């Protein structure tokens, strides 16, 4: 029997994707550098569907029906290049290599270009949802040629998560578009987690609630407009007691958040594109700060404010909910701005509303909220910012008093809330009639003759600051 598709790289992700494919009735050829993993998979889960084990890349390729479809699920970076170099000579024009790892989109662009010269479709694909998603239905973001999607799409849509019967998978755009969008997805995930962390911190150390009480607050929020996977698991984590000590679990975990790099890539790319993703940046920096043990130790004795408490924990929790919702709108709006900017820069023609649609299920940032983003782009596909959408503008307007109060309270109590604060600043900066950028540009002209433009006339000007201060047109 010929396999519909092959998977090489059978660690947690590859193994679960292969099982997902087999469970959906697709005969799947499986291969791993270390053959023991292949044997384990077949021995343990062989009953779930048709697995065709392969000991070598050549055997794997021989098991595939044409055009061949091969998913590579190995560690991102050099291992991906090594695997591509191994398989490419065994493939024929028209065959497809799907890289489901977390590759940097610029690597994907390079690999796509190279394989295209050999007639092979390279489909850099973002896959979100972790281990469980891979098995039960991830959110899938394939890039590559439209032609390859015609062959691959039905298979990928079959194993993707479904929301209201709609698969969480669509063709994102050419070459690196899929991995770019997956990168921004992860960046948004960083921002969302940071905002949730700040909400928790404010309720814990601002309102003095216990983790179990905060768990209830999050569980209640999860029944409202904040309903999402991240809020749901936050409630579960906060309700959990450490079996060894009987203490709240969150209190026995070292307060040092690690990162694998996709958040950092998002910010690096945003800097290059000139897109202000301040929410994602603050989240990446907050994780970095948490890890600087010596820095934190050195600063521990710095004075803080005199202790005081928000009067009423109940109404403060409502205000924090509003601040969280508003800040989340801003963080997502910034992420979607980056997607639109990347799409314009690389000519990908990405439909941002379609991204919101495929993130509604399967992935880590899945949320009811994404339906609102989908609707906003449906109403105005070319909108420069989600904040201008009628629903979001109203939600921000309704939240703003509470949002301001929460940011002020955080400052007053000495509780860091960089995510809430930067989101509010972004909101106020976009609203502002005039920005102090006028002064910045005047300073640039003063020290570097960088020129400026005027509000009342066309053209570029320079003032002779060091001399007679006369203005000259340049
Ligand atoms: P890992 O990222 O831990 O990679 C392990 C796999 O890579 C094994 O199959 C290993 O083979 C193979 N491999 C390595 Br390492 N070097 C190789 C080489 N030179 N040649 C051939 N194979 C090589 O696995 P994972 O956690 O399943 O993730 C797979 C990909 O999916 C990664 O890119 C990851 O970033 C991405 N991803 C992961 C998650 C998640 O939740 N874990 C979610 C979304 C995306 P071996 O068995 O012989 O050592």
């Amino acid at each position: 029997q010929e396999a519909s598709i092959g998977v090489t790289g059978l660690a947690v992700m590859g193994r679960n994707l292969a099982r997902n494919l087999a469970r959906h009735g697709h005969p799947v050829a499986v291969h791993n550098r270390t053959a023991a993993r292949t044997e384990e998979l077949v021995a343990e889960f062989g009953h779930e569907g048709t697995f065709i084990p392969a000991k070598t890349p050549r055997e794997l390729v021989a098991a595939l029906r044409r055009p061949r479809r091969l998913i590579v699920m190995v560690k991102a970076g050099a291992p991906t290049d090594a695997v591509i170099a191994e398989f490419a000579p065994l493939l024929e024009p028209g065959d497809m290599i799907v890289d489901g790892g977390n590759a940097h989109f610029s690597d994907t662009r390079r690999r796509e270009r190279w394989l295209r010269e050999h007639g092979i479709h390279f489909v850099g694909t973002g896959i979100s949802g972790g281990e469980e998603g891979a098995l039960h239905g991830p959110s899938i973001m394939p890039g590559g040629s439209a032609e390859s999607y015609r062959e691959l799409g039905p298979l990928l849509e079959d194993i993707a998560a479904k929301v209201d019967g709609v698969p969480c998978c669509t063709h994102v755009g050419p070459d690196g578009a899929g991995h770019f969008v997956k990168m921004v997805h992860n960046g948004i995930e960083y921002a969302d987690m940071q905002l949730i962390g700040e909400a928790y911190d404010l309720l814990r150390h601002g309102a003095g609630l216990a983790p179990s009480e905060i768990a209830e607050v999050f569980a209640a929020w999860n029944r409202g407009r904040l309903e999402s996977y991240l809020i749901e698991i936050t409630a579960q984590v906060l309700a959990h007691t450490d079996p060894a000590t009987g203490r709240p679990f969150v209190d026995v975990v070292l307060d040092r958040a690690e990162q694998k790099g996709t958040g950092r890539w998002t910010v690096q790319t945003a800097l290059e594109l000139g897109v202000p993703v301040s929410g994602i940046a603050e989240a990446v920096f907050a994780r970095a700060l948490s890890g600087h043990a010596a820095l934190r130790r050195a600063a521990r004795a710095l004075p803080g404010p005199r202790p005081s408490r928000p009067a009423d924990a109940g109404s403060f929790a409502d205000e924090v909910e509003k601040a969280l919702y508003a800040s989340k709108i801003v963080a997502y709006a910034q992420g979607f701005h980056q997607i639109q900017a990347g799409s314009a820069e690389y000519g990908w023609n990405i439909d941002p509303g379609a991204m919101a649609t495929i993130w509604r299920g399967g992935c880590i940032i899945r949320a009811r909220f994404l339906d609102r983003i989908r609707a906003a782009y449906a109403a105005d596909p070319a909108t420069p910012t989600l904040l201008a959408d009628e629903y979001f503008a109203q939600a921000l307007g309704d939240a703003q008093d509470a949002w301001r109060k929460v940011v002020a309270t955080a400052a007053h109590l000495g509780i860091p809330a960089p995510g809430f604060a930067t989101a509010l600043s972004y909101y106020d900066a976009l609203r502002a009639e005039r920005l102090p950028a006028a002064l910045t540009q005047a300073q640039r002209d003063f020290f570097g003759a960088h020129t400026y433009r005027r509000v009342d006339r066309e053209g570029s000007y320079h003032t002779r600051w060091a001399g007679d201060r006369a203005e000259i047109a340049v």
Side-chain angles (χ1 to χ4, degrees):
Q1 188 177 8
E2 285 190 314
S4 313
I5 193 158
V7 178
T8 184
L10 301 174
V12 283
M13 290 295 290
R15 185 184 57 190
N16 281 357
L17 269 185
R19 289 175 62 199
N20 189 348
L21 285 158
R23 286 173 170 198
H24 279 85
H26 306 290
V28 52
V30 285
H31 167 263
N32 191 66
R33 178 181 60 177
T34 310
R37 277 202 211 263
T38 316
E39 289 155 21
E40 265 166 40
L41 167 63
V42 177
E44 229 175 301
F45 304 107
H47 61 279
E48 292 183 340
T50 306
F51 295 95
I52 303 165
K55 287 205 175 61
T56 63
R58 193 172 291 280
E59 256 184 64
L60 179 67
V61 168
L64 301 177
R65 111 167 119 72
R66 289 186 174 84
R68 300 182 185 89
R69 297 178 282 199
L70 173 64
I71 300 182
V72 177
M73 218 51 213
V74 301
K75 205 177 186 65
T80 305
D81 280 316
V83 169
I84 292 171
E86 221 176 345
F87 279 91
L90 306 174
L91 298 174
E92 289 172 336
D95 289 349
M96 284 154 265
I97 298 181
V98 179
D99 175 18
N102 270 335
H104 192 284
F105 73 95
S106 58
D107 285 335
T108 303
R109 284 167 61 78
R110 166 177 62 77
R111 291 166 183 151
E112 196 274 341
R113 233 181 355 255
W114 182 70
L115 286 165
R116 193 173 353 124
E117 283 168 18
H118 297 83
I120 296 166
H121 297 280
F122 185 67
V123 184
T125 300
I127 299 183
S128 177
E131 253 184 271
E132 285 296 298
L135 183 59
H136 299 293
S139 177
I140 308 180
M141 297 151 247
S145 65
E147 197 185 333
S148 66
Y149 195 77
R150 275 195 290 280
E151 284 288 335
L152 276 165
L155 207 72
L156 297 179
E157 289 178 16
D158 199 29
I159 62 161
K162 312 276 182 310
V163 173
D164 304 333
V166 180
C168 295
C169 172
T170 192
H171 182 227
V172 176
D175 60 81
H179 276 138
F180 183 90
V181 159
K182 171 61 169 33
M183 174 188 78
V184 177
H185 163 285
N186 285 24
I188 292 174
E189 177 185 310
Y190 273 60
D192 208 338
M193 290 169 72
Q194 172 65 21
L195 294 171
I196 289 172
E198 291 175 21
Y200 154 75
D201 208 19
L202 284 160
L203 294 174
R204 181 85 191 262
H205 300 110
L209 296 179
S212 59
E213 294 170 312
I214 304 172
E216 282 170 33
V217 172
F218 274 92
W221 288 354
N222 199 42
R223 293 189 287 274
R225 59 187 179 172
L226 279 169
E227 180 191 326
S228 62
Y229 173 71
L230 284 171
I231 296 281
E232 182 194 325
I233 65 166
T234 303
Q236 291 196 34
V237 169
L238 291 173
H240 186 57
T241 303
D242 174 46
T245 60
R247 292 168 61 195
F249 176 72
V250 69
D251 287 352
V252 301
V253 177
L254 193 67
D255 58 345
R256 231 186 256 177
E258 295 173 2
Q259 45 186 320
K260 277 200 187 160
T262 44
R264 187 166 51 230
W265 289 350
T266 311
V267 178
Q268 284 169 338
T269 306
L271 290 172
E272 277 152 26
L273 291 168
V275 179
V277 290
S278 55
I280 301 170
E282 289 292 0
V284 174
F285 287 140
R287 288 198 196 185
L289 185 150
S290 77
H292 281 288
L295 181 70
R296 292 174 62 189
R297 239 189 338 269
R300 189 140 304 151
L302 292 174
R306 254 174 285 132
S308 61
R309 274 218 157 142
D312 171 55
S315 63
F316 186 60
D318 289 343
E319 286 159 0
V320 172
E321 190 269 349
K322 291 194 171 99
L324 177 55
Y325 194 62
S327 302
K328 179 170 162 140
I329 292 171
V330 168
Y332 280 64
Q334 293 180 338
F336 274 86
H337 180 196
Q338 182 166 354
I339 289 176
Q340 287 177 293
S343 179
E345 173 74 17
Y346 297 105
W348 286 326
N349 206 14
I350 297 173
D351 170 5
M355 299 308 106
T357 305
I358 64 169
W359 290 348
R360 292 183 306 167
C363 63
I364 304 298
I365 64 170
R366 61 184 181 262
R368 185 204 276 202
F369 171 75
L370 285 155
D371 240 347
R372 296 287 186 185
I373 297 182
R374 187 191 53 73
Y377 282 114
D380 182 2
T383 184
T385 174
L386 284 170
L387 304 194
D389 169 71
E390 202 180 318
Y391 168 80
F392 288 124
Q394 169 133 29
L396 290 164
D398 290 347
Q400 65 150 339
D401 285 344
W403 192 10
R404 294 181 193 289
K405 208 168 140 195
V406 168
V407 170
T409 302
H412 188 67
L413 296 176
I415 297 170
F420 285 1
T422 199
L424 182 57
S425 289
Y426 180 86
Y427 174 77
D428 283 333
L430 287 193
R431 278 187 330 101
E433 184 75 37
R434 295 271 300 156
L435 290 169
L439 178 57
T440 308
Q441 192 58 24
Q443 290 167 324
R444 296 184 74 243
D445 188 58
F446 191 110
F447 64 67
H450 293 302
T451 76
Y452 52 88
R453 295 200 282 180
R454 295 182 55 99
V455 296
D456 51 359
R457 280 183 255 134
E458 287 295 309
S460 292
Y461 299 91
H462 167 60
T463 291
R464 286 193 296 243
W465 295 101
D468 60 3
R469 306 222 158 170
E471 181 174 81
I472 49 172
V474 286

